[in-house]
Amino acid sequence: MANNILDSAKASLGSAKEKIKNVTENMFDDDEKEIIEQFKSSGQDKLIDSLSTFSEYAAIFKEAGYELGSINANVSLPPEISVTFKYLDSASVEKRDGLVQKAKDNKVAVIILKSLFKASDFSESIKIGNYKLKSINVKLGLIPGISVSFS
């Protein structure tokens, strides 16, 4: 019986690892190049510009199902911004498309929306017991990244 439980746990872990690998390989796609391009030669002006984006588009992020939680800025060269969103709910595909269209004039806002959608889709594709998606952290800079928190 203990072997069955152990084998089941190993199989679940293997499946989760494979899904994580697939998502991390496809998380940013072409958006990663855009993020790197925007942050590789920019200084404080880009940082200030990006920070204003978060407050300007906070209502759209919330409509998409994500509440802006915190913003961390690293003012080194190149700058790096880390934004944490509290996950509220998933938006339908139709609603997502409409929200991306609303934000189309700001590349950073579009990238963040797409990143949030991919992260929440990823969280729905894996099951970790009774844990559910709690927050998503999007890091913008030369090495962009997304991390998710479950509780």
Side-chain angles (χ1 to χ4, degrees), residues 1-145:
M1 183 165 156
N3 285 340
N4 289 340
I5 293 171
L6 183 58
D7 290 341
S8 177
K10 285 180 182 179
S12 294
L13 181 60
S15 175
K17 281 183 181 179
E18 187 61 32
K19 287 180 182 177
I20 290 169
K21 180 181 175 198
N22 290 339
V23 168
T24 54
E25 288 173 352
N26 299 313
M27 190 61 80
F28 281 113
D29 299 330
D30 294 331
D31 296 332
E32 179 177 21
K33 293 174 189 160
E34 181 67 34
I35 294 168
I36 291 169
E37 199 57 40
Q38 289 199 22
F39 281 85
K40 78 177 178 183
S41 62
S42 58
Q44 290 186 1
D45 291 339
K46 185 61 186 174
L47 186 67
I48 292 167
D49 199 34
S50 296
L51 290 173
S52 68
T53 296
F54 302 121
S55 61
E56 183 179 342
Y57 289 89
I60 290 177
F61 298 142
K62 192 162 190 175
E63 191 178 343
Y66 311 92
E67 183 176 57
L68 187 57
S70 66
I71 302 170
N72 298 307
N74 183 344
V75 292
S76 62
L77 287 176
E80 181 179 277
I81 299 172
S82 179
V83 187
T84 301
F85 294 88
K86 179 181 174 187
Y87 176 71
L88 303 173
D89 196 14
S90 287
S92 68
V93 173
E94 297 81 23
K95 186 173 184 178
R96 289 178 179 189
D97 292 340
L99 293 168
V100 168
Q101 283 301 310
K102 283 184 182 180
K104 70 180 178 185
D105 294 333
N106 188 301
K107 290 180 182 181
V108 171
V110 169
I111 290 169
I112 290 171
L113 279 171
K114 289 180 177 179
S115 300
L116 291 169
F117 297 148
K118 288 179 183 180
S120 59
D121 290 346
F122 160 71
S123 72
E124 290 173 8
S125 72
I126 63 168
K127 298 293 178 202
I128 305 175
N130 291 327
Y131 292 99
K132 294 183 181 186
L133 181 62
K134 178 181 179 182
S135 64
I136 300 170
N137 183 279
V138 179
K139 184 174 82 169
L140 304 172
L142 278 184
I143 304 174

